[in-house]
Amino acid sequence: MEIKQTAIAGTLESSDIQIMLSKGSNGIQVELESDVKKQFGDQIISVITTTLKKFGIEQAKVKAVDKGALDCVIKARTIAVAQRALKTTDQPAWEVL
């Protein structure tokens, strides 16, 4: 699917992650800021890219600012930002869950 608008989900509070999603042209490119990037950066990026691919998104720029979010929070924020960017918030993507 093609991204229709730039979208953002999440906060900069502790145990959360803020994700901004916009149009891209070279696959899914993730820019990650996190205090635990060395330990968990690969896992955070994997959760984001896997979730976006379930939406059929193949081209995107992602900026993520992590504040210690668990995988379930990362996935929930990615789902929210993807639906906002695709303008499908009124059509829940149950199959992605």
Side-chain angles (χ1 to χ4, degrees), residues 40 43-44 47-48 51 68-78:
F40 302 108
Q43 176 64 19
I44 294 167
V47 171
I48 292 170
T51 306
L70 299 174
D71 285 359
C72 57
V73 175
I74 297 166
K75 185 173 182 179
R77 296 302 190 193
T78 306

Side-chain angles (χ1 to χ4, degrees), residues 34-92:
S34 176
D35 290 339
V36 293
K37 186 175 180 178
K38 285 186 179 181
Q39 296 93 343
F40 302 108
D42 292 341
Q43 176 64 19
I44 294 167
I45 291 169
S46 175
V47 171
I48 292 170
T49 56
T50 301
T51 306
L52 291 176
K53 286 180 180 179
K54 287 183 181 179
F55 273 96
I57 297 172
E58 297 293 332
Q59 307 292 324
K61 288 183 183 177
V62 181
K63 180 171 183 187
V65 181
D66 173 57
K67 297 294 182 179
L70 299 174
D71 285 359
C72 57
V73 175
I74 297 166
K75 185 173 182 179
R77 296 302 190 193
T78 306
I79 290 169
V81 77
Q83 289 192 301
R84 290 175 184 171
L86 297 170
K87 293 187 176 182
T88 61
T89 55
D90 60 336
Q91 305 162 8

